Amino acid sequence: MSTSVQNAPGSGTSAAPGKPIGELVFALIIVSIGVVGFVAGAGIQTPPSASDIGPRAFPFAVSALLVVVGAGLVFQVLRGHRGAADEGEDVDPDAKTDWLTVGKLAGFVLLHAFLIVPLGWPVAAAILFFGAAWSLGARPWWRNLVTAIVLALVLQFVFGGLLGVSLPPGFLEGIGVFGG
Amino acid sequence: MSSVDNFFMLMEGFATAMQPIYLLFALGGVLVGTAVGVLPGIGPAMTVALLMPITYSLEPTAAIIVFAGIYYGGMYGGSTTSILLNTPGESSSIVTALEGNKMAKAGRGAAALATAAVGSFVAGTIATVLLSFVAPFVAAFAVQIGPVEYVALMVVAFLTVGALLGSSVLRGLASLGLGLFIALVGFDSLTAQQRYTFGSPFLADGIDVVLVAVALFAVGEALYVASRLRHGPIKVIPVTGGWTSWLRRDDLRRSWKPWLRGTLIGFPVGTIPAGGADVATFLSYASERKLAKGENKKQFGKGAIEGVAGPEAANNAAAAGVLVPLLTLGIPTTATAAMMLVAFQRYQIPVGPQLFESNSALVWALIASLYVGNLMLLVLNLPLVGIWVKILQIPRPYLYAGILVFAVLGAFSVNFTPIDVIILLIVGILGFFMRRFGYPIAPMVVGLILGPIFESQLRRSLAISQGDPVALVQSPVAATIYVVLIVIFALSFLLKRRQRQFEAMVAANADAPDVVRGSAAGPEAVVAPAATGTSTSTSTSTTPHREDNDR
C-alpha cells in the first residue's frame, strides 16, 4: 500500500495539484477488502443446527457495504472529487509531504517492538522517544536523550510500579518501585 | 422509578463522588483532560484510549470518574487553544476561534477566555442537571424495548455517525465499514466459528479495540502531523491583566443570554446524533449573529463576545447530551463516548438499557462527578491559564514523540506481546492515510465497538421473526425510529448546506474589512487579504476549499 503511494508524493490532498493516485489506490483497497470479505466469508463454517441467520450474513453485509462505498469513492476520485485532508493546529496546509520523517517515525516504532523483550520496556521506550524527537527535528541531541530517559523512567515508575502494569523492567529488574 | 428515587440516587452518587479519594481522581481527570484539550494533536478520545491500562488496577468507579473528568476537561481546554493559538484549530472549536481569536488579537483575550470558561461551566452544569433528569426516563423507556427496536437505534447511530460526521458521506461510510470489518475478525460469539482469521492464532482472538483506537488516534495523528509539521516558533497571543478583572460588567451582560441559548441548543443536538458538537456550535454561532443588534452586530467577524459565549456553551452542553444515549442505550455517538463504552466493557459491565438498573451506584457516581468536575474546571481554568499557555508551547517534536511512547505503552499493555506494537504500527499507517485522504476516524471507532453488539441484536431479532426481515420495521417503535432517522438526515443536510454557505460568507467578511461586502465571495477574495494581513488563521481554517468535497 505505502509503496504505490510513495511513488506519487503530494497526491491526495485538495491543495496539491497532480493525479490523485494515492487516493485512488486507497479507494481501490477499500473495494478489495470488501471482495476479500466475500471470498473469505464464503469459507466461514455454518453449523447445521443454525435455523436463524448464521455467522456469514453480517460479514457479507459489511463486505457489500465496503464494495459499494469503495466503488463509489473510486468513481468520485476519477471524476475529480478529492477528499479534504485533515486540518490541525500543528499541520501546515502548504507544506510538502515529508515522507522521510514519516518513514523514520514508523521505523523507530518498529525498532521499539523488537527491543522491548531483549532490552526491557524503559530502554526501548527511551530509544523510541529519542529517535522520534530527533526525527521531528528536536536539537540538541543530549537534551533529547535526557528527556527520553526521564520520561521512560517516570512512565515505568507510574505504570509499572504504581499501577501494576507488567512492563518488562529490563535492567531495572529487581527494583520494586519500577515493578521489577 | 419515580423522580424522588432518582434524586435520592443522585445524592448517593454525590456521597460517593465527594469522598476524598474520588475527588482526587476527578481532579486528576480534569487536569489531564484540560491539558490534552489545550494540546494540539491530542484529544480526549485519544487520551482515554491511551489511559485504558489504568482499568487493570483501578476499581471501576475510580476509572470511570477519571475518564469523565478527561471528557469534560477536554472541552474546556479546546477553547483556550482556539482563542490563544494563532493557527487553525479542530472543527468543533473553529467557531470559537472565529471570534475568540479576533478578541485575543485586539487585546481582549482575557475576556474571551473568561466568557468561554464561565459559559462552559454554566452550560455544563445546566446540561448535567438535564442529564440527571432525562437519562432515568430514557432508561426506563429503553429497558422495555426489544432487539428489533435496539437494532433500529443502532442503525440510526451508524448512519448518523458514519454519514454526518466529517465532510464526505461516502468516506464516513467507508470508515464505518472498515471498523465493522475489523470487529468481525475472530470468533463469532454465537456459533464460535472463526471469521477472517486466515488461520492465524493471533487473529483468532480478534483485534483488540483499544489497540485499533490507539493506533488510529495516536500513531495515525503523529505520522500525519509529522508529514506536514508546522515549523517555526509557536505563536501564542499573550493575555494581559489579572484574571479577576477578566469579565467586566458589560461582558457579562452580553454573555449570559448566549450562554443559556447555547445550552438549550447544545444539549438536544448532543442527545440526538445529528453530527456532533460541530453542528451545535455552528447553530449557536448563527443564532447569536442573527440576534445581535446595533453595535454588537457590527462586531461579529471582528471579535464579538457573543460569538464565543454561545458556541462554547453549546459545545459543553452537547458533550453532556452525548452521555444520554451512551448511559441509557449503550450507544456512543462520538469517539470519546465510544472509548468510555470500552472502559465499561473492560470491567465486564454490560452497557445498554439495563445499565441504570444493574449498576445504578456507578452511574449516579459518574453523574455526580460531572457536577464536581465542572466546578473544579471553572476554578482551575481561570487562575491557571498561565500554565495552560506554557503547555501550549511544548516543543512539537517532544509532544509527538511523547504521544508515540504512550501509544506503544498502551498497545503493549493490551496483551503484553510486542506483536501488538507491530499491529499498532500497521493500523496507525492506515490512520495516517485516512487523515491524508479525508476519511473521518470516529465512524471507524464507533463501528468497531458497536459492530459486535449490533450483529448479536440483529441475529436475535431475526431469530425471533424466524428470518423474516420485514419484522425489523414492523414494530411501531422501530418504524418511528426509522422515520425520525429520515427526518434527522433531511434536517442535517439542510443544516450542513447552510453551514457551508455561512462559513464561506463569514470567512469572506471576517478578514476583509476593507473589501466591499458582497464582492468578496470567491475563495480568491479571501486569500488575498489573508496573505497580506496579520491574521491568516481564521480565513484559512474556515474556507477549506469546499468545492473539493463531494456532495
Side-chain angles (χ1 to χ4, degrees):
Chain A
M1 174 168 76
S2 58
T3 45
S4 58
V5 174
Q6 273 164 355
N7 290 335
S11 67
T13 65
S14 53
K19 288 203 176 97
I21 295 174
E23 199 168 348
L24 199 58
V25 169
F26 196 84
L28 284 169
I29 287 172
I30 291 172
V31 177
S32 44
I33 292 175
V35 173
V36 170
F38 272 113
V39 175
I44 296 171
Q45 303 287 316
T46 308
S49 61
S51 58
D52 57 337
I53 62 164
R56 275 189 206 174
F58 193 58
F60 281 150
V62 174
S63 304
L65 174 75
L66 285 171
V67 169
V68 170
V69 170
L73 283 166
V74 169
F75 187 64
Q76 271 192 352
V77 174
L78 285 177
R79 283 184 52 197
H81 294 280
R82 314 272 291 268
D86 231 26
E87 297 166 17
E89 283 95 341
D90 287 337
V91 176
D92 186 347
D94 304 321
K96 268 197 149 183
T97 306
D98 185 352
W99 289 108
L100 185 65
T101 305
V102 176
K104 279 183 196 162
L105 289 188
F108 276 110
V109 173
L110 195 63
L111 180 70
H112 172 83
F114 286 102
L115 293 182
I116 297 174
V117 174
L119 298 184
W121 197 84
V123 176
I127 291 172
L128 171 63
F129 184 92
F130 177 79
W134 171 78
S135 308
L136 289 163
R139 304 287 182 276
W141 64 269
W142 54 265
R143 196 192 288 155
N144 299 352
L145 188 66
V146 172
T147 315
I149 292 170
V150 170
L151 180 76
L153 289 180
V154 167
L155 288 181
Q156 182 74 29
F157 169 67
V158 171
F159 283 88
L162 292 183
L163 292 172
V165 178
S166 30
L167 300 170
F171 73 98
L172 298 169
E173 187 74 60
I175 308 175
V177 292
F178 290 109
Chain B
M1 227 195 283
S2 72
S3 50
V4 178
D5 282 339
N6 293 330
F7 185 75
F8 181 68
M9 298 297 289
L10 179 62
M11 288 302 121
E12 279 199 349
F14 270 111
T16 309
M18 296 297 273
Q19 288 172 28
I21 184 74
Y22 290 129
L23 284 177
L24 214 59
F25 279 121
L27 182 67
V30 296
L31 279 176
V32 171
T34 314
V36 301
V38 167
L39 284 172
I42 177 166
M46 187 201 284
T47 310
V48 173
L50 288 176
L51 289 182
M52 210 54 83
I54 69 170
T55 56
Y56 288 116
S57 48
L58 291 185
E59 38 114 5
T61 313
I64 299 293
I65 284 178
V66 170
F67 290 154
I70 291 171
Y71 181 57
Y72 265 28
M75 300 293 149
Y76 273 74
S79 59
T80 308
T81 316
S82 41
I83 291 168
L84 295 183
L85 194 62
N86 215 347
T87 49
E90 291 157 54
S91 59
S92 66
S93 55
I94 272 183
V95 173
T96 307
L98 218 56
E99 303 295 331
N101 212 263
K102 290 280 157 54
M103 284 180 74
K105 277 176 188 144
R108 304 248 301 126
L113 287 173
T115 198
V118 180
S120 296
F121 170 73
V122 170
T125 305
I126 295 174
T128 310
V129 173
L130 290 174
L131 168 72
S132 331
F133 281 99
V134 172
F137 285 102
V138 181
F141 158 76
V143 287
Q144 295 164 10
I145 66 174
V148 172
E149 289 80 14
Y150 208 48
V151 164
L153 283 170
M154 277 192 279
V155 168
V156 173
F158 281 143
L159 288 181
T160 50
V161 170
L164 301 179
L165 287 183
S167 54
S168 156
V169 173
L170 282 183
R171 285 179 179 78
L173 290 176
S175 172
L176 175 73
L178 288 174
L180 292 173
F181 189 84
I182 292 181
L184 285 172
V185 175
F187 282 106
D188 170 32
S189 59
L190 289 177
T191 59
Q193 297 299 320
Q194 288 198 22
R195 297 194 292 192
Y196 300 134
T197 58
F198 304 102
S200 159
F202 295 113
L203 292 177
D205 287 337
I207 301 173
D208 189 90
V209 173
V210 173
L211 187 59
V212 177
V214 169
L216 288 175
F217 289 129
V219 180
E221 179 76 8
L223 291 178
Y224 179 68
V225 173
S227 76
R228 298 227 163 101
L229 185 61
R230 189 188 293 274
H231 292 284
I234 298 152
K235 291 178 202 144
V236 178
I237 305 166
V239 179
T240 47
W243 62 271
T244 42
S245 61
W246 280 7
L247 210 57
R248 295 188 308 229
R249 185 179 293 261
D250 181 48
D251 294 330
L252 197 63
R253 192 179 52 75
R254 286 175 59 182
S255 291
W256 71 271
K257 277 186 199 159
W259 288 340
L260 295 183
R261 280 194 290 260
T263 311
L264 292 182
I265 291 170
F267 186 77
V269 172
T271 310
I272 304 158
D278 207 5
V279 173
T281 54
F282 155 71
L283 273 177
S284 166
Y285 183 76
S287 60
E288 291 311 326
R289 200 183 160 106
K290 202 161 200 169
L291 288 170
K293 288 186 191 79
E295 276 304 303
N296 298 352
K297 194 176 188 91
K298 282 185 195 152
Q299 282 187 4
F300 268 86
K302 297 179 194 120
I305 196 165
E306 293 91 345
V308 179
E312 268 311 305
N315 192 23
N316 271 56
V322 165
L323 293 178
V324 173
L326 177 71
L327 295 178
T328 59
L329 301 165
I331 293 180
T333 52
T334 64
T336 318
M339 291 325 295
M340 289 178 67
L341 195 152
V342 173
F344 281 108
Q345 287 176 339
R346 287 273 143 139
Y347 288 113
Q348 319 285 325
I349 298 170
V351 196
Q354 68 278 36
L355 182 70
F356 259 83
E357 278 181 10
S358 62
N359 285 280
S360 64
L362 173 65
V363 174
W364 286 106
L366 164 67
I367 294 176
S369 85
L370 294 177
Y371 287 96
V372 177
N374 236 322
L375 189 63
M376 283 178 175
L377 281 164
L378 179 70
V379 176
L380 285 176
N381 261 273
L382 292 179
L384 292 188
V385 74
I387 293 176
W388 306 131
V389 169
K390 284 232 164 58
I391 285 180
L392 204 48
Q393 286 165 321
I394 285 181
R396 295 305 183 246
Y398 286 173
L399 172 61
Y400 290 99
I403 289 174
L404 281 180
V405 169
F406 269 98
V408 296
L409 169 63
F412 182 72
S413 55
V414 168
N415 292 317
F416 301 102
T417 152
I419 291 161
D420 282 343
V421 178
I422 294 170
I423 296 179
L424 174 89
L425 180 61
I426 294 168
V427 181
I429 290 172
L430 173 72
F432 164 74
F433 282 107
M434 286 174 70
R435 281 179 172 76
R436 192 173 163 78
F437 300 139
Y439 290 78
I441 303 291
M444 183 161 169
V445 175
V446 170
L448 186 69
I449 290 161
L450 270 189
I453 308 172
F454 177 72
E455 190 192 358
S456 69
Q457 294 288 351
L458 182 68
R459 281 161 75 175
R460 270 179 58 193
S461 315
L462 289 174
I464 294 168
S465 76
Q466 293 175 332
D468 181 11
V470 180
L472 291 176
V473 290
Q474 259 180 347
S475 121
V477 178
T480 313
I481 293 169
Y482 288 117
V483 171
V484 170
L485 172 70
I486 294 165
V487 174
I488 289 178
F489 258 71
L491 277 178
S492 13
F493 279 113
L494 282 176
L495 256 176
K496 284 228 167 175
R497 217 166 72 194
R498 268 210 59 196
Q499 182 173 4
R500 236 171 298 149
Q501 290 167 350
F502 197 81
E503 279 177 359
M505 182 194 78
V506 167
N509 289 337
D511 275 322
D514 303 331
V515 179
V516 182
R517 289 185 180 214
S519 71
E524 306 88 355
V526 185
V527 174
T532 51
T534 48
S535 48
T536 55
S537 61
T538 2
S539 65
T540 46
S541 69
T542 47
T543 52
H545 297 283
R546 296 288 186 183
E547 69 272 16
D548 290 312
N549 294 345
D550 51 276
R551 217 175 19 83

